Amino acid sequence: METNSNNFGELQELKDMATLAKLLARAPFLESQYYFRNRAVDSFRKSENDAAVMIQSWFRGCQVRAYMRHLNRVVTIIQKWWRSYLGRKYYQLIVEAAYYTMKMNLYNEMAVRIQRRWRGFRIRKYCFNYYYLKEYLRAVSETNDAIREALEEFAEMKEREERKVLLEREEKQKDYQARKMHYLLSTKQCGHPTTA
């Protein structure tokens, strides 16, 4: 068995040496292929780099646009919450104002009721008291009668004075006419020819 394993080891060495010899024989070809492929890769490297940059910029643009959409959605949610908060606050203020107005209206109505009752009581007690009014009207009618009598007396006195003044005026007028026409009487009595 030992010989078999030695043979196997030798065979392996021979195979390795054969592979090494093949590689050495192909070394100049491999060298030229290596430089040729590197040159080909260098010529394509710029276009591949530009393509990679373009892909990266497209991908980053997609990321930024997605992030902007996300920000837009988030900002919309924040605005929605803020506006709903402001709406609730405004509604609360409107409700408070309406409640205050209703309360003030109720208080005003109650005050009006109290005032109405008080004024009605006061009017019935002091102004429209039947006996008080009866006495007041009797006093007013007596005062009116006294004033009417005084006015009638005053009117009669004024009428007498006016008649007296009128008579005096007529008397003066007659005296004036008599003085003015006294010569006519005297000429008529004398028989003067001018009066005919």
Side-chain angles (χ1 to χ4, degrees):
M1 257 260 149
E2 207 174 278
T3 55
N4 274 345
S5 65
N6 271 343
N7 282 340
F8 184 73
E10 285 178 7
L11 272 175
Q12 187 66 29
E13 280 181 22
L14 282 176
K15 278 187 184 177
D16 289 340
M17 285 179 75
T19 305
L20 183 65
K22 280 184 191 176
L23 283 175
L24 284 177
R26 288 186 63 196
F29 175 73
L30 286 176
E31 223 174 275
S32 68
Q33 274 300 87
Y34 174 76
Y35 287 119
F36 174 73
R37 285 185 180 171
N38 276 346
R39 259 187 281 133
V41 166
D42 283 343
S43 67
F44 291 119
R45 184 171 289 151
K46 175 145 180 53
S47 63
E48 286 176 353
N49 188 28
D50 291 344
V53 165
M54 189 177 293
I55 291 170
Q56 287 174 351
S57 67
W58 171 80
F59 183 73
R60 287 179 184 147
C62 287
Q63 278 183 329
V64 167
R65 283 189 289 278
Y67 184 65
M68 292 301 285
R69 279 193 301 274
H70 170 71
L71 286 181
N72 191 13
R73 273 190 242 110
V74 168
V75 165
T76 303
I77 290 170
I78 291 171
Q79 287 175 346
K80 182 169 53 173
W81 278 93
W82 176 250
R83 288 175 182 155
S84 68
Y85 170 76
L86 287 180
R88 285 191 300 274
K89 278 292 198 184
Y90 182 67
Y91 180 74
Q92 188 176 10
L93 288 175
I94 289 174
V95 167
E96 286 176 3
Y99 173 72
Y100 178 75
T101 304
M102 286 172 53
K103 193 162 69 170
M104 290 309 293
N105 287 341
L106 178 69
Y107 291 158
N108 285 340
E109 287 176 15
M110 293 298 122
V112 166
R113 283 185 186 176
I114 293 169
Q115 290 171 354
R116 188 174 20 182
R117 297 273 168 92
W118 169 250
R119 288 176 182 153
F121 168 76
R122 195 185 69 192
I123 290 292
R124 285 189 298 275
K125 174 103 175 150
Y126 298 109
C127 295
F128 292 130
N129 187 349
Y130 175 73
Y131 298 108
Y132 174 76
L133 274 177
K134 188 175 177 182
E135 185 64 31
Y136 174 73
L137 290 175
R138 188 184 58 75
V140 167
S141 67
E142 287 177 0
T143 308
N144 283 345
D145 291 340
I147 290 174
R148 191 174 297 120
E149 288 174 7
L151 285 175
E152 287 174 359
E153 288 176 10
F154 180 74
E156 288 176 10
M157 187 177 66
K158 196 78 166 161
E159 191 178 325
R160 277 182 276 165
E161 285 179 5
E162 285 177 4
R163 268 189 261 144
K164 185 178 175 186
V165 167
L166 188 61
L167 286 174
E168 287 177 0
R169 191 177 301 144
E170 286 177 3
E171 193 68 33
K172 280 184 183 179
Q173 185 73 19
K174 286 180 184 177
D175 283 345
Y176 175 73
Q177 287 294 330
R179 275 193 307 245
K180 195 174 174 187
M181 298 187 180
H182 76 286
Y183 68 91
L184 291 175
L185 287 174
S186 62
T187 55
K188 189 173 185 185
Q189 291 175 355
C190 294
H192 208 282
T194 58
T195 61

